Amino acid sequence: MKIDLFITCLNDAMFPRTGEATARLLERLGHEVRFNERQTCCGQMHFNSGYQHDALRLVRHFVDTFRDADVVVAPSGSCVGMVRDLYPRAAEWAHDDALLAEVQALTPRVFELSEFLVHHQGLEDVGAYYPHRVTYHQTCHAMRVLRVGDAPLRLLQRVRGLNLVALPAVDQCCGFGGTFSVKNPETSTAMLADKVQHVMSTNAEACTAGDNSCLMHIGGGLSRLQSGTRTVHLAEILASTEHEVFA
Amino acid sequence: MSAEARLEILTRVNRAQPAEPTRFQRPARPVSGRDEHDVVEQFAEYAAEYRANVIRTSRSALPAVLGDLLQGQVQVAVPKDLAADWLPAALAVHRDDPDLTDLTVITAVVTGAAVAIAETGTVVLDHGPGQGRRALTLVPDHHICVVFEHQVVESVLEAVQRLHPSARRGQPLTWISGPSATSDIELSRVEGVHGPRTLDIVLVAGPP
Amino acid sequence: MSAGGIKPARPFPAAARDTLGNAQMRRNLRHATTTIREKRQRAVDELPNWEALRDEAAALKDHVMAHLSEYLLELEASVQARGGQVHWARTAQEARSIVAALAQRHGAQEVIKVKSISTDEIELNAGLAAHGIHAIETDLAELIVQLAEDQPSHILVPAIHRNRAEIRELFQRKLGAELLTDDPKALADAARTYLREKFLSTTVAVSGANFAVAETGTVCVVESEGNGRMCLTMPDVLISVMGIEKVLPTWQDLAVFLRVLPRSSTAERMNPYTSFWSGVTPGDGPQEFHLVLLDNGRTDVLADDVGRQTLRCIRCSACLNVCPVYERTGGHAYGSVYPGPIGAILTPQLLQLEDENANTLPWASSLCGACYDACPVKINIPEVLLYLRGQISDAQPPSVQAAAFKVAAWVMSEPHRFEGAIKLARTGQGPLVKHGAIHALPGLLAGWTASRDLPAFPRQTFREWWRQRPAAQEHGPDRPEDTSETAGNAWEPL
């Protein structure tokens, strides 16, 4: 299958390794992977912060970039959530029917990585090897907007060598929420404190998730506490093999 | 002032409410084929879970059962039209006819019910025959409610349907699920605040 | 005096700090919300068709909103036909005046009240006090809040932020109750003793309404303690204050709401007591009944295509109990009688998005979506939050922040500008980076690094790596570990 990667701006700038792992994993599974260099940002940060007119510029840019793609796969639940759930809202609220039609034509072909593998491709064992103690954080948008369900867990359970430990209160938000973490830093920190405490209670070497925005937040807390637990994107675990270590 | 307010609010509502393309279709409600016996058992179980005392009996044994439950109660009240043959012949009761002026001296009250709901363990009074006015089952501390098995319906939906005529007549209704309770302090449930602290449900088998 | 209207006195972040710093309140809140979350899930799972019920409840409410004037007129006629009187109040002030005038007409110096958030919304207690009338709250939690001269912090359990020891002390001080223990049963008994005399001697009662049926004129109040039954039954005069959105078309429509409301709010199959009445019933209960229909900003909410769904709300409080923000900040931080996620969208809308403090509420959410999943009438709270953020930002005068976002959108809508900006940031971050991470940021972003590190930009972007990578298809699964030349992620000290 021809897959267009949507790497997302955060991964592109801050977590290139995640993008690389996503590309390698999909290629290993036999897909033809493309990266359209016109891509930038989905506009989630603007949209969620209240700058919806500014976000529209990015919505249109995304639609222009990926209009001809067969399938778009991204290693981020919240960015795919933005595209699938909020692009139609953005077009409706701007009363732009032409954009709405384009969005509706495109968004059913945009997938988050784990849902693409499990729900779309019917895969659970992607041939990964990762001999570490790992705990998994369920990100809100993957869970409640995209409804990926247990797709990430099913993938992790089939990773050879991986010791998966359950994260207490797994369905609780880490407190990032984009602009929320800046506008309400104390409340966000209170939520993060609980999340970090739960992660540390698992004694995991790594905390994984399908979204580097949440992981950046959790990782920020773990790093400040010198906890010794790292954050690792799900794609990097799934891309890792005996021969090639991504994380 | 109110006429002006009324007009303004209705005008504002008319301007604001959306145009709706289709009328709301209430979903079809399939009648449950559940066994009546199961429904009655579920009612008894759920009512008991809400700390009502559920006593199973037959029509012929009803007076004896009520006699036992009322043992030691000196001031017993009943609605003015409660069937006399429910009670033991020797029992002295206050009929609410004319209205009893001081319900605070009454220690127990016996009434019938209109409907009971298995899904929730609820008894419903529509304050029709044998159920009395609302205060009668509110002020005394012990309510004994007689429910016949044929009055038990499976769901809230069926109960609402069955109670439609009472509602259309403008009768008040009281739905009772266990004794009065509160969870206001640390969400820990305490039974018995302002309503009757004891609720006995006498569930009568067989024809009325 | 309990019960404080809907205008927040402070912006949310400032108000939130109080609870965040109060360890006792944090523990009380966490205990309560965790307990009820688990119970609710069990109560909901017990019904086989929960999702269908949610759909039906939402569709029915939407239908009501589309025919609201029709159903309000039908309700008015039905209530009047049963001997009740109907009043219309455009504002909180009008509603207070109506209730006060009715109470005064009966010479009442005290009125008893059933817990009602709509009367809290209109600050009725203070309004009555201004006329020399004392309103006595009869719900246990409302009584606690009133005696403590506190504010409610939860829709369903307004004293959720107080624990038993605090309540015991309060009852001893204010009711003169002799309490040997702080057992909730003993505390409830003390309230029973104090209130019983009030129930039997007060002539005027005030309530809210959970539902009112246009077809039959039936008004419904859902409760647990029996204080509702007492207020609705024992006095001579009953005044019920109801938001105009609470009307339902037909008697049968109660079925769906009586199934979803108790399970969503108290996590019970059914609450202990539900009372229904139509107008007045000769020989039974109050012989004078007044229904006050309240607008107070609701028609403005109704006029908005996106915000309108807020009016589906049945005040169950399920969204509060699942909200991670509410769990940490409690209800007081929202500064309104409507706290939590529903408050974050309802309060600013009722104030026409013109109240600066209320306008901070749509940002009091991490957008985790738990509220939407729990809502029995499927209000898409995250969607409305975002919509309101947009409306509020649009109306604001130009700011540095707005300009920054505008520039960012311009930069990010072209790949070469985006790439240039990253390179600039990579160079500029130099002095801030220590051991691969940023530990302190200046300005607006300082809030982040107050408690968390931020990763530094790695030395290569994904797209830089992509351009220079060997054609990937040439490598099989046994590709040797040749990735050392590629970019590492942020965090990783290189």
Side-chain angles (χ1 to χ4, degrees), chain B residues 26 119 168 180 189 193, chain C residues 82 192 225 253 259 268:
Chain B
R26 286 173 181 79
E119 180 183 275
R168 258 203 298 244
S180 141
R189 189 179 167 94
V193 193
Chain C
R82 296 276 169 216
R192 177 185 169 103
E225 295 170 10
D253 296 328
R259 292 182 97 186
E268 293 171 296

Side-chain angles (χ1 to χ4, degrees), chain C residues 97-132:
Chain C
S97 302
I98 291 167
V99 178
L102 290 169
Q104 277 178 323
R105 196 204 293 167
H106 291 275
Q109 282 169 5
E110 284 191 337
V111 300
I112 45 175
K113 275 186 71 196
V114 194
K115 176 171 127 48
S116 146
I117 196 160
S118 58
T119 60
D120 289 348
E121 174 190 325
I122 62 170
E123 298 174 81
L124 180 63
N125 293 5
L128 290 174
H131 290 88

Side-chain angles (χ1 to χ4, degrees), chain B residues 50-52 138-143 176-185 188-199, chain C residues 138 140 183-193 195-196 199 223-227 229-230 268 272-273:
Chain B
Y50 275 150
R51 312 289 163 81
L138 175 60
V139 180
D141 208 22
H142 186 167
H143 179 196
I176 301 169
S177 310
S180 141
T182 184
S183 298
D184 277 348
I185 300 168
S188 72
R189 189 179 167 94
V190 174
E191 263 98 26
V193 193
H194 303 298
R197 283 182 281 198
T198 307
L199 174 66
Chain C
T138 64
L140 180 53
D183 177 29
K185 175 123 186 69
L187 298 171
D189 276 345
R192 177 185 169 103
T193 308
L195 287 171
R196 182 142 280 232
F199 290 136
E223 51 125 2
S224 294
E225 295 170 10
N227 64 308
R229 290 179 70 190
M230 287 284 182
E268 293 171 296
Y273 295 135

Side-chain angles (χ1 to χ4, degrees), chain A residues 36 38 59-68 102 106:
Chain A
N36 183 337
R38 282 189 39 72
V59 173
R60 293 200 176 95
H61 182 75
F62 183 96
V63 171
D64 282 346
T65 305
F66 291 108
R67 183 180 285 115
D68 299 323
E102 288 221 73
L106 172 61

